[in-house]
Amino acid sequence: MTVTQSFIDGESVASAELYDNIDPATGRSLGPVARAGSDEVDRAVAAARAASTRWRDTTPSARATLLTGIADLIDQNHQRLARMESEDTGKPLTQARADATVAARYFRFYGHAIDSYYGQTIPLSTDLHVYTRREPFGVTGHIIAWNYPMQLLARAVAPAIAVGNCAVVKPADETPRTAVELARLAVEAGLPTGVFNVVTGIGAEAGAELAAHSDVDHLGFVGSTQIGSVVAHAAADRVVPTTLELGGKSPQIVFPDAHLGRAAESIVKAILQNAGQTCSAGSRLLVHDSVHDTLVEMVCQLLLLATIGPGIEDYDLGPLISRKQQHRVQSMISANVKGEILCGGEPPADTRLADGAYFAPTVIADVDPASPIAQEEIFGPVLTINRFLGEDDAIRLANGTQYGLLGAVWTSDLSRAHRLAAEIRAGQVYVNTYGAGGGVELPFGGYRKSGYGREKGYEALDTFTATKTVVVRL
């Protein structure tokens, strides 16, 4: 089998140790991966630093051409990248294809955006000319989660290099292959070597080395709140700016005047997507008491129709990322002291799936809002349900966790929709739809323990630059 190795300064770099990349659908190895350590991280950061000045001074129009060229190559390799992503993550092939499409879209979007990214002039007085410059930090470090490897990498790297930074990426242990391939394609598109580097390996080793590295000027992390806190501490020790996109426990609030059929379809899609392994999954359903039974029945019926199997065969629901995650989901459900399991609650009984990390779509009604299963991120296809009687009750439940990433309101009353959108503590709020993070153009990030900073959209260009103010007496 081919060894997946770090890609540094335009070259494949071996490591002294290897580990196996496990297919979550079968439990078998997809091939060995280089287990990089401090030497490889040092080499990657040094390569980024060496390329930094030349890349910073490259004209925005030249950078734009290179980024759109990367997007073109991703599109040309769409099917191959999607297959890798499906094998690594277990997600259905259709979803992996969508991830490849969106990854290309990030590079194209920021390739176009950088052409119109300007500073400002400030009319302070007639004898002073005051203007601002947006300048790159230099070397940016990106620690990427395993649930959307291509999308998360592209949404971090594309804006970072668009504004003139050079990037070092540490992909998740479980999903390293597409990161390396995207870095190769970038060089093939003409991106100077050293601008985009990938270090494979274990998070507690290579990831920790990157987070603590003294020559990294900005850190980005996507993953659990617990590890995000560790990364933030490492950055704080060096007074380095950080962007954290962490966990979520996003509510979907359904009022009696909502279109229940549309709501049910969207709710099901939001919890089935990537087997519920999405920070922005709509994992809490809050339903007005008068329509509770009707909507819950509709949701359960749709979930029971979902097909389950290997992602590469494009079923509705693939496996979880690992046996470890499967056991975690099972233990959280088993520990649920209150709540009726209406469907699922365990791995599927199909013996053909016994070797994979599968878990059946699960609905748990009338959970205790204070219980761990209602408060903590499960990261599986598990939907918890609570009833409410009025707006105040709905807002209290919606804001009743430590997270604040997304929320949704389903109602025909637009005045109510705007009231709740203002009251829900979340970085994105949807009305009569649910985007699970939304499009490339939409700023994305959380409140409270869902993290801080914003990615995506035009705001990401500000995230990866510092403002310099210049004052000239005339």
Side-chain angles (χ1 to χ4, degrees):
M1 289 183 177
T2 302
V3 178
T4 300
Q5 298 183 147
S6 299
F7 190 77
I8 301 170
D9 207 14
E11 298 180 350
S12 184
V13 175
S15 296
E17 295 185 56
L18 303 172
Y19 69 93
D20 274 327
N21 181 18
I22 301 300
D23 183 345
T26 64
R28 294 189 290 271
S29 176
L30 291 165
V33 181
R35 187 169 177 168
S38 59
D39 289 346
E40 292 89 341
V41 173
D42 284 343
R43 182 171 170 179
V45 173
R49 179 63 65 196
S52 181
T53 300
R54 182 170 60 130
W55 181 243
R56 179 198 66 196
D57 293 341
T58 301
T59 63
S61 62
R63 280 186 245 138
T65 298
L66 287 167
L67 263 72
T68 55
I70 295 169
D72 291 341
L73 280 181
I74 293 172
D75 283 337
Q76 291 170 26
N77 289 271
H78 182 273
Q79 294 295 338
R80 182 172 63 87
L81 290 167
R83 186 176 183 88
M84 281 186 190
E85 195 88 328
S86 178
E87 290 172 344
D88 277 3
T89 63
K91 68 177 59 179
L93 193 56
T94 295
Q95 294 178 27
R97 289 177 182 137
D99 289 350
T101 297
V102 174
R105 173 73 176 133
Y106 276 114
F107 282 98
R108 189 165 285 112
F109 176 85
Y110 288 110
H112 293 160
I114 193 59
D115 271 338
S116 56
Y117 186 56
Y118 308 130
Q120 296 178 327
T121 58
I122 302 171
L124 193 62
S125 68
T126 57
D127 62 341
L128 292 176
H129 176 50
V130 183
Y131 62 94
T132 63
R133 292 168 49 89
R134 301 293 308 191
E135 298 185 348
F137 288 106
V139 176
T140 56
H142 310 272
I143 302 172
I144 306 297
W146 45 257
N147 51 346
Y148 291 89
M150 281 192 288
Q151 282 205 46
L152 295 177
L153 181 148
R155 89 178 189 197
V157 170
I161 67 174
V163 295
N165 296 292
C166 293
V168 178
V169 176
K170 163 58 180 73
D173 318 355
E174 301 90 342
T175 55
R177 293 192 297 166
T178 50
V180 173
E181 286 302 310
L182 289 178
R184 289 183 188 278
L185 290 175
V187 171
E188 184 180 334
L191 191 73
T193 58
V195 175
F196 178 8
N197 309 276
V198 175
V199 178
T200 60
I202 306 300
E205 299 167 359
E209 290 285 346
L210 182 59
H213 201 284
S214 60
D215 207 23
V216 171
D217 302 306
H218 183 286
L219 272 173
F221 173 80
V222 180
S224 71
T225 300
Q226 179 185 8
I227 303 302
S229 178
V230 173
V231 171
H233 275 86
D237 286 342
R238 298 184 290 108
V239 197
V240 169
T242 311
T243 302
L244 303 178
E245 197 259 279
L246 308 177
K249 196 72 175 173
S250 300
Q252 299 220 46
I253 308 169
V254 183
F255 285 89
D257 59 350
H259 190 298
L260 296 186
R262 292 176 189 163
E265 290 177 2
S266 186
I267 289 160
V268 167
K269 181 179 178 181
I271 201 63
L272 285 181
Q273 184 174 330
N274 201 25
Q277 299 169 119
T278 305
C279 297
S280 51
S283 55
R284 287 190 298 145
L285 178 55
L286 312 179
V287 191
H288 192 277
D289 185 68
S290 64
V291 292
H292 174 278
D293 293 352
T294 301
L295 180 63
V296 170
E297 176 66 20
M298 295 169 72
V299 168
C300 288
Q301 288 301 317
L302 288 172
L303 286 174
L304 289 171
L305 294 174
T307 58
I308 307 176
I312 204 67
E313 297 177 21
D314 212 19
Y315 288 88
D316 297 325
L317 182 67
L320 299 173
I321 190 65
S322 64
R323 285 286 195 183
K324 178 182 178 182
Q325 183 63 17
Q326 183 192 48
H327 294 154
R328 180 180 181 275
V329 173
Q330 182 70 77
S331 66
M332 290 189 73
I333 292 173
S334 299
N336 174 40
V337 295
K338 181 183 178 182
E340 181 185 2
I341 298 176
L342 302 181
C343 65
E346 59 189 3
D350 191 338
T351 56
R352 295 174 298 173
L353 307 178
D355 293 332
Y358 297 91
F359 206 87
T362 300
V363 175
I364 307 176
D366 296 318
V367 302
D368 178 356
S371 66
I373 202 166
Q375 289 287 319
E376 298 175 11
E377 191 172 41
I378 300 171
F379 238 51
V382 180
L383 183 67
T384 64
I385 302 178
N386 286 107
R387 305 168 189 257
F388 68 86
L389 297 175
E391 285 186 23
D392 290 345
D393 195 22
I395 293 167
R396 177 184 59 80
L397 287 168
N399 292 337
T401 75
Q402 62 185 337
Y403 299 108
L405 198 54
L406 261 75
V409 181
W410 295 86
T411 179
S412 297
D413 184 340
L414 288 183
S415 294
R416 171 191 286 149
H418 286 294
R419 285 196 300 271
L420 266 73
E423 293 295 331
I424 294 171
R425 295 285 289 170
Q428 287 187 346
V429 178
Y430 287 85
V431 176
N432 296 328
T433 185
Y434 196 84
V440 169
E441 303 85 353
L442 306 181
F444 183 66
Y447 288 54
R448 296 183 287 188
K449 290 192 176 180
S450 286
Y452 49 76
R454 292 295 180 266
E455 297 179 279
K456 307 173 70 166
Y458 211 69
E459 282 195 39
L461 299 175
D462 290 343
T463 294
F464 290 110
T465 52
T467 299
K468 177 184 285 183
T469 304
V470 181
V471 182
V472 181
R473 182 172 292 282
L474 301 177

